[in-house]
Amino acid sequence: MAQAQEPNDKNHELERQLRSLNRRVERLEDTQVTARELNRGFDRVYEEIDHLEDKVDRLQSDVEGFRDEMNQKLDTILRHLTGVN
């Protein structure tokens, strides 16, 4: 009787291991990113970088304009204070 159950027990154990392996493979597949998805992600990142670079360029331009304006005003003030025209 014990011999008759041994192959059945082995089959159940094998089936259990295969189900476990199948679940692990499915979880691994679920975590994988395709090349297309990865490229889309990088494209979005590069677009955001370009957008931020544009903002930085505009900000630098604004700062330069502000600096030039302040320098002109300071020059005017210093000329009035020193009496130099």
Side-chain angles (χ1 to χ4, degrees):
M1 181 88 110
Q3 289 179 345
Q5 276 196 339
E6 188 174 314
N8 199 20
D9 289 343
K10 286 182 181 179
N11 284 341
H12 286 305
E13 178 63 20
L14 182 59
E15 286 176 13
R16 186 188 67 75
Q17 289 177 351
L18 287 173
R19 282 192 306 272
S20 175
L21 179 61
N22 189 44
R23 281 192 304 270
R24 292 175 70 190
V25 168
E26 286 175 355
R27 284 196 319 258
L28 181 61
E29 287 173 343
D30 289 343
T31 63
Q32 298 300 308
V33 176
T34 66
R36 180 178 286 165
E37 291 169 326
L38 188 60
N39 284 336
R40 280 194 305 249
F42 276 117
D43 287 343
R44 285 192 304 269
V45 168
Y46 289 133
E47 286 173 9
E48 184 65 23
I49 288 171
D50 289 342
H51 178 71
L52 291 173
E53 286 176 340
D54 291 342
K55 280 185 168 182
V56 167
D57 290 344
R58 284 192 304 272
L59 183 60
Q60 284 177 332
S61 178
D62 291 346
V63 168
E64 288 173 10
F66 178 75
R67 186 183 64 218
D68 291 343
E69 185 179 330
M70 288 295 105
N71 282 336
Q72 289 173 359
K73 289 181 180 186
L74 286 172
D75 287 345
T76 302
I77 291 169
L78 288 174
R79 278 197 304 273
H80 284 308
L81 290 174
T82 60
V84 177
N85 286 335

